[in-house]
Amino acid sequence: MTAAGNMEFVQRFDQAFAPVEAAVAAGRIPGGVLGMIDRDGNRMVRAVGLAQKIPVTRPMFADTWFDLASLTKVIFTTPRILALAEAGTIDLDARLISLLPDLRQYDAAAWERKVTFRQCLGHQTPFPAVEPLYTYGRDPDLLRAFILQREWRAGPPVYSDINFILLGFALERLTGQTIRDMDAGPGFAFSAAPDQAAATEDCTWRHRVLSGEVHDDNCSALQGAGHAGLFGTAGSILDFAEGLLAGTGAAERSIALMRTPLSATRTHGWERPYDGWSGGNFCSPGTIGHTGFTGTGLWIDFDQGRAWTLLTNRIHPTRHFDSGIAALRQTVGDLVNRA
């Protein structure tokens, strides 16, 4: 690592952090943490703003824990499914019923019984985008049975949590454990100490400000699921990204599949660059990324040997507010990658 190279990295980071500071100053988000690494060993993490503003005030720190929301899909569930495929335990083109034979078990011709692991990873199924499963009850076992037996309305392929909820069920069947009883991975967990976590929403049905417990309503009702529920820090996310960049964080074939397109916008588990995507306009074609509803995101540019994570608590204290998170993510990505 040369001094000039390190200076360029610091300058790039400083430029990318400026819009995060501006978003906090403008009251768009309570706080945020930006982290960035490259293949040369450079790493920076910086925090700004508040981790919580009601009913108490707490500052944001570089090591604040975040509810990662849908980053769970790519940091927890996708690597485990791909590792099982690498080991020959599952065939990605096999139907989910090879592990979930009771999926729509009362209708042998149901379309749900034809869905494959690969289709779920790439969100290429007819499952609906959003479903308030938590409104059907809080018994996690009964709710799992309901999800498996429900006659789902079919539509065009869209990004759907149901795909990864079902992949999570498959992991549970294989291991005999609930997801919350599984190892979350180095530096990750399925909850966090409330005073060390970025607060999320003042939940209207749990009647409290959430901090250190999962925000996602369906994951909460299921008491752990494959689409959400993972907690981590900027440091743990950068460690994960560093492993993928170095080729040591997963099998070579698994990393290749994470980068292999399944559609114009998606790979196995991840998003890939397209016009208007969250990573901005200057990513190389060899970039993968994903975002989380709570205000989180991770992007890994394999061609340029760089990764960055932007973590915010943009839904604190409510999701019903235009935080400008989409534009902020794109702006940060552009400044991280601009020559």
Side-chain angles (χ1 to χ4, degrees):
M1 171 175 33
T2 66
N6 188 52
M7 186 178 302
E8 187 273 338
F9 180 90
V10 172
Q11 183 181 44
R12 190 182 293 271
F13 182 91
D14 287 344
Q15 291 174 344
F17 190 68
V20 185
E21 291 180 303
V24 171
R28 305 295 297 229
I29 56 174
V33 179
L34 179 65
M36 191 169 84
I37 58 168
D38 66 19
R39 278 204 185 102
D40 295 328
N42 294 300
R43 175 187 289 230
M44 288 189 71
V45 178
R46 189 180 298 165
V48 64
L50 298 176
Q52 184 168 352
K53 62 181 186 179
I54 65 166
V56 298
T57 301
R58 294 185 289 112
M60 188 75 79
F61 296 108
D63 61 353
T64 294
W65 285 75
F66 281 81
D67 179 338
L68 301 179
S70 283
L71 287 188
T72 304
K73 294 180 174 75
V74 294
I75 294 176
F76 180 83
T77 306
T78 294
R80 282 158 179 77
I81 293 293
L82 295 181
L84 289 168
E86 175 73 15
T89 305
I90 63 172
D91 178 350
L92 292 181
D93 292 313
R95 297 179 180 185
L96 289 182
I97 58 173
S98 61
L99 283 179
L100 302 172
D102 47 333
L103 176 60
R104 289 299 313 280
Q105 62 186 341
Y106 302 110
D107 182 358
W111 67 261
E112 295 93 336
R113 293 183 63 81
K114 299 180 176 68
V115 168
T116 70
F117 292 95
R118 198 185 307 273
Q119 288 172 330
C120 286
L121 285 170
H123 297 280
Q124 296 179 305
T125 71
F127 287 111
V130 179
E131 193 71 24
L133 298 167
Y134 66 101
T135 64
Y136 293 93
R138 297 277 291 163
D139 181 323
D141 292 327
L142 191 60
L143 198 55
R144 278 168 171 76
F146 170 74
I147 292 167
L148 288 168
Q149 302 310 326
R150 183 173 192 181
E151 182 177 346
W152 291 94
R153 66 183 187 275
V158 292
Y159 175 77
S160 172
D161 284 347
I162 306 303
N163 292 310
F164 275 76
I165 288 174
L166 291 172
L167 290 175
F169 289 177
L171 291 177
E172 291 179 334
R173 291 287 178 88
L174 270 175
T175 63
Q177 296 178 297
T178 66
I179 283 180
R180 284 192 181 172
D181 288 330
M182 297 179 194
D183 180 0
F188 297 100
F190 293 116
S191 63
D195 62 348
Q196 297 176 20
T200 55
E201 198 161 19
D202 187 356
C203 182
T204 57
W205 63 278
R206 282 174 274 183
H207 307 295
R208 59 183 177 273
V209 173
L210 305 176
S211 184
E213 65 175 299
V214 64
H215 169 264
D216 185 271
D217 300 308
N218 291 336
C219 183
S220 175
L222 286 163
Q223 296 182 22
H227 71 293
L230 196 66
F231 283 74
T233 65
S236 59
I237 294 171
L238 291 179
D239 287 344
F240 172 81
E242 188 174 46
L244 295 185
L245 280 174
T248 59
E252 181 180 357
R253 175 63 177 161
S254 293
I255 296 175
L257 287 172
M258 293 179 196
R259 302 178 60 186
T260 300
L262 289 175
S263 71
T265 60
R266 298 199 173 272
T267 70
H268 292 75
W270 295 77
E271 278 197 319
R272 55 191 291 253
Y274 57 89
D275 187 31
W277 93 304
S278 62
N281 297 312
F282 299 105
C283 301
S284 77
T287 305
I288 58 175
H290 211 282
T291 61
F293 183 77
T294 51
T296 59
L298 169 63
W299 301 267
I300 306 172
D301 190 328
F302 288 90
D303 291 349
Q304 299 190 64
R306 180 185 301 132
W308 69 102
T309 181
L310 175 61
L311 306 176
T312 78
N313 50 353
R314 67 105 185 170
I315 61 169
H316 178 62
T318 177
R319 73 182 77 183
H320 304 294
F321 173 76
D322 182 10
S323 66
I325 188 65
L328 178 62
R329 286 166 171 156
Q330 292 171 339
T331 299
V332 169
D334 283 345
L335 292 170
V336 163
N337 290 298
R338 184 171 289 156

